[in-house]
Amino acid sequence: MSVAERITEIFLIRPSERWLVLYFITIFLLIGCGLALGRGSADVLFFKRYGVEYLPVMFIIFGALLAVISMMYAAYADRIPSERFFQAVFAILAVSLLTSWALITFSNLEIAYPLYFLVYEVVSELLLMHALFYMSQNLETQQAKRLTPLIFAAAQFGKILGGAALMSLSSVVGVQHLLLLWVLLGLVVMVMIYIRHFRVGVSPYYSPSARGRKGLAYSLSQIGQGLKFAKRSNLVKASSLALFFMVTGYYVLCYSVNRIYTASFATEESLSEFFGLLTVLNGLAALLIQLFLTSRLLQWFGIKKINLIFPFTGIVSFLLLMGNYALPSAIFGSFNKDALMPAIRNPTRNLFFAALPDYMQGRARALSVAVVMPVALAVTGTFLYIAQRSDNPYSFLGVGLVASIVYFYFCRRMNRAYVEAILVTLKERLFLPDAKLSNIKATSNDELCQQLLRGVQHDDPELTYSHARLLVNSTGVAATEAVLKRLASADALLRDRLIKLILPFDHPQLHDYLLAEHGTGDTHHKTTMLKWLFASRAPEVTDQVEGCLASENPRLIAAGIYGVYQYDLQEMKSSADTAWCALLEGDNEGKVLAGLELLTELPGKDLLPMLSAILKSPVVRVQKAVLQLIMKLDEAAVTFDAIQELITHEDPEIRMLSIRCYERYEGKDIMPALINALSDQHPAVRRAAMKCLQALQFDAWDKLNDWLRSNTGNPRAQHSVIEALALRMPRNPLFQEIADAKVRDAESCLEALQYLHGFQEKKGAELLAIVLRERMWEYVDLALLAQAQQEQGSSINIIRAGLRSGDPRQRANAIEALQDLQHKGFSQKLARIIDLGDAPTRKSSRARFATLQAVLSWCRLQQDPWVQECAVRIK
């Protein structure tokens, strides 16, 4: 392997990306070098030739310019390809630098120095902002994740080179002539961009549709939406306040250390050389921290702890300056703002934005750049301008210290809001509702109630019924009048469904409607109305009972039988009973179903012995009707053996109903069947078994706990048992034991997977690896499910949904939220499994398996039949 190939492999560069990476590294290196030259030369010329006391005024002007330019940039930057905008930026930069150089070199105008200072401040912000945008139009998401750290490191290395050039050339060519070197670097970048896009064309991820935006008005609307979002987002609110006080402390620190540097170095050349050396050292420190510390610190300690480093070092910087207002303290302050800020603070703050919804991230950033920073700069500049009238540095150092302390406080607020924002965003991205729609209460919401009332009158029958059902569930009898109004224009089917919704409320208007309409509609609808009138013993329809009994339609016959018993018509009871038996013994399912429905409404105990024979019917609908009837009866109407025969039926609803019927056979040994049902493919069957476990009074919960620990059933069954246990004994310490046991099971699967990776050529090894990987993720989910019964149940369920999603962003957010669980030992172990589980080839230093035979022996001892079978087949 050549050196180039080894380098590209180390930095995760694919062969097809080498020239692209080299291009971006060169671009960012030149930009970084130019910015370092600009920073040093602008500071030296302004401090020495114009006066450091005017620095607060520059802060105020820069804040105003930043607000205007950021809004203009947001309005127009994406209306043309980013490479063309980049070339325009460099052209403006070249003209501005040449103008500043000419004014400084050939005129005595003092305005040249603040002008050049502002040129640097504005251009540096614009260049960095657009460089990131340019990358986004040329690198897809996965490329950006792999290559961005390397490209940013090149920019940092460019700053080191710029600092070295500033240190070595300022005394040779003069500080003002370094502007020409910056112009030259900018021209080189312009030429490189032109050549590349002349060859490859427009940036591949440029979207022409952006031209449709309405310029400045669109930009202002984005900022307005960001402000509205900040009112309801604790993270954006805390982040904005933290940024305000960070900017205040940062620029007070800049002012303080620059006053010390200006007083400590007498000449431009000596100050320029010092700035160059400082740029090199701070740049090198930032580069090393970025490459070797930042990602590891984030991984070891988490984003919330690392978020407090920069505020803490800011406080230390001001304490040092207040204790010794001299060069050593100023150097530490520069290290804090020029090394720790880009290496620690900036990457960490960017990660906080990832917790926000995608459509709000850009708006939150626009709010920061266009509103918060300019306001903070204006306030800080005004304060410093007033405070510097005093010769005592404590007049502004004290405010800087207070700002840093408040910044630390709001960073802690950000930390508290971070996990909350992650969970809210995950719920939104994964479409997890806050509550079931069926549980809404329209009575407490007039607007919602009005919407449901309008929906009941909709022309579409399905929409009408859906709105009516919600209205009835939430307002009860108050919904009857709206439903009755819709009946006038409804067809027979919809009328039948709507009437059944409002029958339980026995509204007087409904009684009048049924009396007037009971002779209309199809037979099914007529039967519904007549049965309700019979149930209310309406005298106006007594004469229709005999006609129903004489009908040939099974539903009307059943209605007639119902009427006989409701009106207690003794002379007709014998014929009614005969007709009822005839229905149950009928030769078609319509008759049998009509007879069975009557058994749920009338106490026909003499007919219950017929159910055993009816249950053997080959018609599935009939079997379901019998089982539903058995569930409603107070006694076991058929033998236990007859129910057991249906446990393995191919229809999942029959399996579910059979399980539900087990509640009538408490004395029987039903535990094995319930355990098997917990492994059923259909969730309704599993839920039925779980409810049966909760309803029955038996001392088997310790057995279920042991069953869980031994992994006797498949993960689907274990999931159901944990949920059953949770409803039976919530918040029990038992769940922590179960969660820890599932973590150990997941660790074992992971370590077996890691060892199996070296034996892929073995026959059957790949299949075993697939099964073990699946089991590992299932045990992770089971561990979280058990832990959810101990702490933060709703949050953990959102985390589970995030981990199960196929979107890497949601998984990353879920893992981040996982770190916030109360049981740190549990969350750390689980986070490690998830991290290694995504790349199981990375072997753990604590692997329990020394040989392949040890892995296979462990698999064969598992109670999981899939794992056992796969392990046996490996040769």
Side-chain angles (χ1 to χ4, degrees), residues 40 43-44 47 166 258 261 271-280:
D43 286 350
V44 168
F47 297 154
L166 184 68
N258 283 322
Y261 296 149
L271 182 58
S272 180
E273 289 173 358
F274 173 75
F275 278 160
L277 177 61
L278 201 60
T279 301
V280 170

Side-chain angles (χ1 to χ4, degrees), residues 66 131 203-204 276 286 361 372 440 474 515 532 547 619 624 636 689 747 772 826 848 854:
L66 182 62
S203 296
Q361 290 182 20
V372 179
I440 62 172
S474 59
L515 281 176
W532 188 88
V619 181
K624 291 179 182 178
E747 282 180 327
L772 286 174
F826 170 82
R848 60 179 288 186

Side-chain angles (χ1 to χ4, degrees), residues 512-562:
D512 295 340
Y513 172 84
L514 293 178
L515 281 176
E517 300 290 332
H518 72 270
T520 64
D522 58 15
T523 303
H524 189 96
H525 186 48
K526 287 179 183 178
T527 306
T528 299
M529 293 189 286
L530 279 173
K531 284 186 71 174
W532 188 88
L533 291 170
F534 291 162
S536 62
R537 296 182 174 87
E540 296 88 345
V541 292
T542 308
D543 57 344
Q544 298 199 34
V545 173
E546 186 174 1
C548 290
L549 273 177
S551 172
E552 294 183 358
N553 184 282
R555 285 186 58 80
L556 283 175
I557 295 172
I561 299 169
Y562 185 75

Side-chain angles (χ1 to χ4, degrees), residues 503-674:
L503 280 178
F505 302 114
D506 196 16
H507 195 282
Q509 289 186 20
L510 175 62
H511 186 274
D512 295 340
Y513 172 84
L514 293 178
L515 281 176
E517 300 290 332
H518 72 270
T520 64
D522 58 15
T523 303
H524 189 96
H525 186 48
K526 287 179 183 178
T527 306
T528 299
M529 293 189 286
L530 279 173
K531 284 186 71 174
W532 188 88
L533 291 170
F534 291 162
S536 62
R537 296 182 174 87
E540 296 88 345
V541 292
T542 308
D543 57 344
Q544 298 199 34
V545 173
E546 186 174 1
C548 290
L549 273 177
S551 172
E552 294 183 358
N553 184 282
R555 285 186 58 80
L556 283 175
I557 295 172
I561 299 169
Y562 185 75
V564 168
Y565 279 90
Q566 287 299 110
Y567 290 109
D568 195 22
L569 303 176
Q570 294 293 332
E571 68 279 8
M572 294 186 184
K573 280 190 176 180
S574 176
S575 57
D577 289 342
T578 302
W580 198 348
C581 288
L583 288 177
L584 292 173
E585 294 173 345
D587 54 1
N588 65 68
E589 64 179 279
K591 292 181 179 180
V592 178
L593 290 172
L596 289 172
E597 185 179 354
L598 266 178
L599 281 172
T600 65
E601 300 166 336
L602 296 176
K605 290 189 176 182
D606 294 341
L607 301 175
L608 292 182
M610 299 177 67
L611 293 181
S612 294
I614 298 173
L615 188 59
K616 296 179 181 179
S617 168
V619 181
V620 172
R621 285 186 64 194
V622 171
Q623 290 178 315
K624 291 179 182 178
V626 174
L627 292 171
Q628 288 168 343
L629 176 59
I630 292 171
M631 288 167 53
K632 295 177 182 178
L633 297 175
D634 295 331
E635 57 186 278
V638 299
T639 63
F640 180 66
D641 292 339
I643 298 294
Q644 273 199 311
E645 289 178 5
L646 299 176
I647 290 294
T648 57
H649 198 282
E650 62 180 11
D651 189 293
E653 189 175 353
I654 288 194
R655 298 200 301 273
M656 180 269 291
L657 293 171
S658 301
I659 291 294
R660 294 292 303 276
C661 290
Y662 269 18
E663 297 176 16
R664 300 288 175 269
Y665 304 91
E666 189 172 345
K668 302 293 184 179
D669 184 16
I670 62 175
M671 190 67 175
L674 291 179

Side-chain angles (χ1 to χ4, degrees), residues 10-76:
I10 291 172
F11 290 105
L12 304 177
I13 303 169
R14 294 173 183 170
S16 60
E17 297 170 341
R18 290 175 185 172
W19 287 108
L20 177 66
V21 173
L22 181 61
Y23 167 76
F24 271 105
I25 285 177
T26 307
I27 292 286
F28 273 72
L29 187 144
L30 293 174
I31 291 174
C33 186
L35 290 176
L37 288 171
R39 172 82 281 168
S41 58
D43 286 350
V44 168
L45 292 171
F46 183 82
F47 297 154
K48 285 300 183 182
R49 299 190 185 186
Y50 197 72
V52 71
E53 64 272 15
Y54 294 104
L55 190 56
V57 179
M58 293 297 101
F59 293 162
I60 297 172
I61 298 173
F62 172 55
L65 288 174
L66 182 62
V68 174
I69 290 173
S70 60
M71 285 191 286
M72 296 293 290
Y73 176 81
Y76 299 106

